Every structure is written in structure tokens, then in C-alpha cells.
Amino acid sequence: MRKVFYSFHYKRDSQRVSQVKNMGVVEGQPILSANKWEEVEGGGEAAIKEWIATEMSGKSCLVVLIGAQTAGRKWVNYEIIKAWNDRKGVLGIHIHNLKNLNGDQDTKGGNPFGGISVGDKSLSSIVKTYDPPYSTSTYVYSHIKDNLEAWVEDAIAIRARY
């Protein structure tokens, strides 16, 4: 089973992210509780970077779980750049149609790779972003679960070519 690092907007999407993590298709880092994240955050930028480096170590791929407000977030951008520079596979999956604990879906977010360049190319022209073709949460869940492993393998192969 591949080990991945999940990148996402914590406050808005942690419940959706937990669904993806609990699929058991790939192994991701532990999702911190709000209190634990505040503890890391309280240590400042150096502590956050250290936590990211520790959790990203030994992972072969970064999976950006894209919600309504993921694109452009400081730490998501940092994680994308770090993973790319560390030669890890990188991919994105839109999760806005997964329901949260209140049964709510969200609006589709922008591509988080569009604002990041690698040489003279936008990372969005290299990295694949997947948007499950369903609006029903259970179908979205099944689509991600059925394809996540292959998407990770493809992302690793793409990164090996660049």
C-alpha cells in the first residue's frame, strides 16, 4: 500500500478528508484534531514546516483534496512545492460533493496547481486533477475509492518523467 500525504483546508474540509483517508486504499498521515493542529500552529511557521516535513517523509505522493477554498492557501501551496521539489508524485481530487457530517455538500474549488510554476510551465499543465463525475455523495465516494490507488501510481509515474 502506497503512503501519501494529504493536503487540504482543515477547517472547511476535515470531515470530507476523513472519508477519503478511511477508505483504506492508500495510507495517509494521521489527521490531527483541531486541538493538536492549534498546538502545532502555536509553534509558528518553523513548527508547521517541521510537522509537514516529518509527516511527508517516507511518503511517495501528495494528494491535494480540493474543497471550495483549498486553492491558494499558504500551507497547501507550501506542501505542493515541497512535495514536487522532493520528487514525490502530486495529484488533486475535488471532494466538494462528499457530504460533511451535517449532510452538506460544497461548491467546487479552483485548481490549486494553477498558481504554481515549475520552470516555464504551470504545474496545472503537468499534475492531474480529478473531479468525480457524480453529484451524489455515495457515488463520489465510490469513484474516489475505486480509482485512488491508480491515480497515485499515475502521479508517481508523471513525476518520474519531470
Short mmCIF file of all heavy atoms in Angstrom, two decimals, residues 38-77:
data_model
loop_
_atom_site.label_atom_id
_atom_site.label_comp_id
_atom_site.label_asym_id
_atom_site.label_seq_id
_atom_site.Cartn_x
_atom_site.Cartn_y
_atom_site.Cartn_z
N GLU A 38 -3.90 23.22 16.42
CA GLU A 38 -3.66 24.51 17.07
C GLU A 38 -2.34 24.49 17.83
O GLU A 38 -1.62 25.49 17.86
CB GLU A 38 -4.80 24.86 18.01
CG GLU A 38 -6.05 25.33 17.30
CD GLU A 38 -7.21 25.62 18.24
OE1 GLU A 38 -6.97 25.80 19.46
OE2 GLU A 38 -8.35 25.68 17.75
N GLU A 39 -2.02 23.35 18.43
CA GLU A 39 -0.76 23.20 19.15
C GLU A 39 0.43 23.34 18.18
O GLU A 39 1.39 24.05 18.47
CB GLU A 39 -0.73 21.83 19.83
CG GLU A 39 0.43 21.58 20.74
CD GLU A 39 0.33 20.20 21.37
OE1 GLU A 39 -0.74 19.85 21.92
OE2 GLU A 39 1.34 19.47 21.32
N VAL A 40 0.35 22.67 17.03
CA VAL A 40 1.41 22.77 16.02
C VAL A 40 1.49 24.21 15.53
O VAL A 40 2.57 24.81 15.47
CB VAL A 40 1.16 21.81 14.84
CG1 VAL A 40 2.13 22.07 13.69
CG2 VAL A 40 1.26 20.36 15.28
N GLU A 41 0.35 24.78 15.19
CA GLU A 41 0.27 26.14 14.67
C GLU A 41 0.81 27.15 15.68
O GLU A 41 1.46 28.14 15.29
CB GLU A 41 -1.20 26.46 14.37
CG GLU A 41 -1.43 27.37 13.22
CD GLU A 41 -2.90 27.50 12.89
OE1 GLU A 41 -3.78 27.23 13.74
OE2 GLU A 41 -3.17 27.90 11.77
N GLY A 42 0.60 26.89 16.96
CA GLY A 42 1.08 27.78 18.01
C GLY A 42 2.59 27.87 18.08
O GLY A 42 3.14 28.83 18.62
N GLY A 43 3.27 26.90 17.51
CA GLY A 43 4.73 26.92 17.47
C GLY A 43 5.29 27.80 16.37
O GLY A 43 6.51 27.92 16.23
N GLY A 44 4.41 28.37 15.56
CA GLY A 44 4.85 29.27 14.50
C GLY A 44 5.20 28.53 13.21
O GLY A 44 5.05 27.31 13.10
N GLU A 45 5.68 29.30 12.24
CA GLU A 45 5.97 28.75 10.91
C GLU A 45 7.00 27.63 10.96
O GLU A 45 6.86 26.64 10.24
CB GLU A 45 6.43 29.86 9.96
CG GLU A 45 5.30 30.75 9.53
CD GLU A 45 5.61 31.57 8.29
OE1 GLU A 45 6.63 31.31 7.62
OE2 GLU A 45 4.80 32.46 7.99
N ALA A 46 8.01 27.78 11.78
CA ALA A 46 9.05 26.75 11.86
C ALA A 46 8.46 25.42 12.33
O ALA A 46 8.79 24.36 11.81
CB ALA A 46 10.18 27.19 12.78
N ALA A 47 7.56 25.48 13.30
CA ALA A 47 6.93 24.25 13.81
C ALA A 47 6.02 23.62 12.76
O ALA A 47 5.98 22.40 12.63
CB ALA A 47 6.13 24.57 15.08
N ILE A 48 5.30 24.46 12.01
CA ILE A 48 4.43 23.92 10.96
C ILE A 48 5.28 23.26 9.88
O ILE A 48 4.98 22.13 9.44
CB ILE A 48 3.54 25.04 10.36
CG1 ILE A 48 2.57 25.56 11.43
CG2 ILE A 48 2.79 24.53 9.13
CD1 ILE A 48 1.82 26.81 11.02
N LYS A 49 6.35 23.91 9.45
CA LYS A 49 7.23 23.33 8.43
C LYS A 49 7.85 22.02 8.91
O LYS A 49 7.99 21.07 8.15
CB LYS A 49 8.31 24.33 8.02
CG LYS A 49 7.77 25.46 7.18
CD LYS A 49 8.87 26.46 6.82
CE LYS A 49 8.32 27.58 5.96
NZ LYS A 49 9.36 28.56 5.59
N GLU A 50 8.22 21.99 10.17
CA GLU A 50 8.81 20.76 10.74
C GLU A 50 7.77 19.64 10.76
O GLU A 50 8.08 18.49 10.42
CB GLU A 50 9.32 21.03 12.16
CG GLU A 50 9.96 19.79 12.80
CD GLU A 50 10.45 20.07 14.21
OE1 GLU A 50 10.78 21.22 14.53
OE2 GLU A 50 10.48 19.10 15.00
N TRP A 51 6.53 19.94 11.15
CA TRP A 51 5.47 18.94 11.16
C TRP A 51 5.23 18.41 9.74
O TRP A 51 5.13 17.20 9.53
CB TRP A 51 4.17 19.51 11.75
CG TRP A 51 3.07 18.50 11.78
CD1 TRP A 51 2.85 17.58 12.78
CD2 TRP A 51 2.09 18.24 10.78
NE1 TRP A 51 1.76 16.79 12.44
CE2 TRP A 51 1.29 17.17 11.22
CE3 TRP A 51 1.80 18.82 9.54
CZ2 TRP A 51 0.23 16.66 10.48
CZ3 TRP A 51 0.74 18.31 8.80
CH2 TRP A 51 -0.04 17.25 9.28
N ILE A 52 5.15 19.32 8.77
CA ILE A 52 4.95 18.91 7.38
C ILE A 52 6.10 18.02 6.91
O ILE A 52 5.86 16.96 6.32
CB ILE A 52 4.79 20.15 6.46
CG1 ILE A 52 3.46 20.86 6.77
CG2 ILE A 52 4.87 19.75 4.98
CD1 ILE A 52 3.34 22.25 6.14
N ALA A 53 7.32 18.42 7.18
CA ALA A 53 8.49 17.63 6.75
C ALA A 53 8.47 16.24 7.38
O ALA A 53 8.73 15.24 6.70
CB ALA A 53 9.78 18.37 7.10
N THR A 54 8.16 16.18 8.65
CA THR A 54 8.11 14.89 9.35
C THR A 54 7.02 13.99 8.77
O THR A 54 7.26 12.81 8.49
CB THR A 54 7.86 15.11 10.86
OG1 THR A 54 8.95 15.88 11.38
CG2 THR A 54 7.76 13.79 11.60
N GLU A 55 5.84 14.55 8.59
CA GLU A 55 4.72 13.74 8.09
C GLU A 55 4.87 13.39 6.61
O GLU A 55 4.38 12.35 6.17
CB GLU A 55 3.39 14.47 8.33
CG GLU A 55 3.04 14.62 9.79
CD GLU A 55 2.92 13.29 10.53
OE1 GLU A 55 2.47 12.31 9.93
OE2 GLU A 55 3.30 13.25 11.71
N MET A 56 5.54 14.24 5.84
CA MET A 56 5.72 13.98 4.42
C MET A 56 6.85 12.98 4.17
O MET A 56 6.88 12.31 3.14
CB MET A 56 5.99 15.29 3.68
CG MET A 56 5.57 15.25 2.22
SD MET A 56 5.83 16.82 1.35
CE MET A 56 4.32 17.68 1.75
N SER A 57 7.76 12.85 5.13
CA SER A 57 8.88 11.93 5.00
C SER A 57 8.36 10.50 4.83
O SER A 57 7.46 10.06 5.54
CB SER A 57 9.76 12.02 6.25
OG SER A 57 10.81 11.09 6.17
N GLY A 58 8.93 9.79 3.88
CA GLY A 58 8.54 8.40 3.65
C GLY A 58 7.28 8.24 2.80
O GLY A 58 6.87 7.12 2.53
N LYS A 59 6.69 9.34 2.40
CA LYS A 59 5.51 9.27 1.54
C LYS A 59 5.95 9.36 0.08
O LYS A 59 6.93 10.02 -0.23
CB LYS A 59 4.53 10.42 1.85
CG LYS A 59 4.14 10.59 3.32
CD LYS A 59 3.43 9.41 3.89
CE LYS A 59 2.81 9.66 5.25
NZ LYS A 59 3.71 9.80 6.36
N SER A 60 5.23 8.70 -0.81
CA SER A 60 5.60 8.71 -2.22
C SER A 60 4.78 9.68 -3.04
O SER A 60 5.11 9.94 -4.19
CB SER A 60 5.49 7.30 -2.80
OG SER A 60 4.20 6.78 -2.57
N CYS A 61 3.72 10.24 -2.45
CA CYS A 61 2.82 11.08 -3.23
C CYS A 61 2.10 12.07 -2.33
O CYS A 61 1.80 11.77 -1.17
CB CYS A 61 1.79 10.19 -3.95
SG CYS A 61 0.77 11.02 -5.16
N LEU A 62 1.82 13.26 -2.89
CA LEU A 62 0.99 14.26 -2.24
C LEU A 62 -0.37 14.22 -2.93
O LEU A 62 -0.45 14.30 -4.15
CB LEU A 62 1.59 15.66 -2.40
CG LEU A 62 0.71 16.81 -1.94
CD1 LEU A 62 0.78 16.94 -0.42
CD2 LEU A 62 1.12 18.12 -2.59
N VAL A 63 -1.42 14.08 -2.14
CA VAL A 63 -2.79 14.10 -2.66
C VAL A 63 -3.46 15.35 -2.09
O VAL A 63 -3.69 15.44 -0.89
CB VAL A 63 -3.57 12.83 -2.25
CG1 VAL A 63 -5.00 12.90 -2.77
CG2 VAL A 63 -2.87 11.57 -2.75
N VAL A 64 -3.72 16.31 -2.98
CA VAL A 64 -4.41 17.52 -2.56
C VAL A 64 -5.90 17.26 -2.69
O VAL A 64 -6.40 16.99 -3.77
CB VAL A 64 -4.00 18.75 -3.41
CG1 VAL A 64 -4.72 20.00 -2.91
CG2 VAL A 64 -2.48 18.95 -3.36
N LEU A 65 -6.60 17.29 -1.56
CA LEU A 65 -8.04 17.08 -1.55
C LEU A 65 -8.68 18.46 -1.63
O LEU A 65 -8.60 19.26 -0.71
CB LEU A 65 -8.46 16.31 -0.30
CG LEU A 65 -7.85 14.89 -0.28
CD1 LEU A 65 -8.10 14.20 1.04
CD2 LEU A 65 -8.36 14.05 -1.43
N ILE A 66 -9.26 18.74 -2.80
CA ILE A 66 -9.66 20.09 -3.16
C ILE A 66 -11.10 20.38 -2.78
O ILE A 66 -12.03 19.77 -3.32
CB ILE A 66 -9.48 20.31 -4.68
CG1 ILE A 66 -8.06 19.94 -5.12
CG2 ILE A 66 -9.82 21.75 -5.06
CD1 ILE A 66 -7.90 19.79 -6.62
N GLY A 67 -11.25 21.30 -1.86
CA GLY A 67 -12.56 21.80 -1.48
C GLY A 67 -12.76 23.19 -2.03
O GLY A 67 -11.95 23.69 -2.83
N ALA A 68 -13.80 23.86 -1.60
CA ALA A 68 -14.18 25.17 -2.12
C ALA A 68 -13.09 26.22 -1.94
O ALA A 68 -12.94 27.11 -2.78
CB ALA A 68 -15.48 25.64 -1.46
N GLN A 69 -12.30 26.13 -0.85
CA GLN A 69 -11.33 27.18 -0.55
C GLN A 69 -9.90 26.65 -0.40
O GLN A 69 -9.07 27.26 0.29
CB GLN A 69 -11.75 27.90 0.73
CG GLN A 69 -13.07 28.62 0.61
CD GLN A 69 -13.52 29.27 1.91
OE1 GLN A 69 -12.84 29.22 2.92
NE2 GLN A 69 -14.69 29.89 1.87
N THR A 70 -9.58 25.55 -1.06
CA THR A 70 -8.24 24.94 -0.94
C THR A 70 -7.20 25.71 -1.75
O THR A 70 -6.10 25.96 -1.27
CB THR A 70 -8.29 23.48 -1.38
OG1 THR A 70 -9.31 22.80 -0.63
CG2 THR A 70 -6.96 22.78 -1.17
N ALA A 71 -7.55 26.06 -2.99
CA ALA A 71 -6.58 26.71 -3.88
C ALA A 71 -6.10 28.03 -3.29
O ALA A 71 -6.89 28.81 -2.77
CB ALA A 71 -7.21 26.94 -5.26
N GLY A 72 -4.80 28.23 -3.36
CA GLY A 72 -4.22 29.49 -2.91
C GLY A 72 -3.91 29.58 -1.43
O GLY A 72 -3.34 30.57 -0.98
N ARG A 73 -4.24 28.55 -0.67
CA ARG A 73 -3.94 28.58 0.77
C ARG A 73 -2.43 28.44 0.97
O ARG A 73 -1.78 27.64 0.33
CB ARG A 73 -4.70 27.49 1.51
CG ARG A 73 -6.23 27.71 1.43
CD ARG A 73 -6.98 26.83 2.38
NE ARG A 73 -6.72 27.17 3.76
CZ ARG A 73 -7.24 28.21 4.42
NH1 ARG A 73 -8.05 29.03 3.81
NH2 ARG A 73 -6.97 28.40 5.69
N LYS A 74 -1.91 29.22 1.88
CA LYS A 74 -0.46 29.28 2.12
C LYS A 74 0.16 27.91 2.34
O LYS A 74 1.14 27.55 1.69
CB LYS A 74 -0.19 30.19 3.32
CG LYS A 74 1.27 30.26 3.71
CD LYS A 74 1.47 31.13 4.92
CE LYS A 74 2.93 31.17 5.34
NZ LYS A 74 3.15 32.08 6.46
N TRP A 75 -0.39 27.13 3.26
CA TRP A 75 0.25 25.86 3.60
C TRP A 75 -0.01 24.78 2.55
O TRP A 75 0.82 23.90 2.34
CB TRP A 75 -0.12 25.41 5.01
CG TRP A 75 0.47 26.36 6.01
CD1 TRP A 75 -0.21 27.22 6.82
CD2 TRP A 75 1.86 26.60 6.25
NE1 TRP A 75 0.67 27.98 7.55
CE2 TRP A 75 1.95 27.62 7.23
CE3 TRP A 75 3.03 26.07 5.74
CZ2 TRP A 75 3.17 28.10 7.69
CZ3 TRP A 75 4.24 26.55 6.21
CH2 TRP A 75 4.31 27.54 7.17
N VAL A 76 -1.11 24.86 1.85
CA VAL A 76 -1.35 23.94 0.72
C VAL A 76 -0.31 24.22 -0.35
O VAL A 76 0.32 23.29 -0.88
CB VAL A 76 -2.79 24.07 0.18
CG1 VAL A 76 -2.96 23.29 -1.12
CG2 VAL A 76 -3.80 23.59 1.23
N ASN A 77 -0.10 25.49 -0.69
CA ASN A 77 0.93 25.84 -1.68
C ASN A 77 2.30 25.36 -1.23
O ASN A 77 3.08 24.81 -2.04
CB ASN A 77 0.97 27.35 -1.91
CG ASN A 77 -0.22 27.85 -2.69
OD1 ASN A 77 -0.98 27.08 -3.27
ND2 ASN A 77 -0.39 29.16 -2.71
#
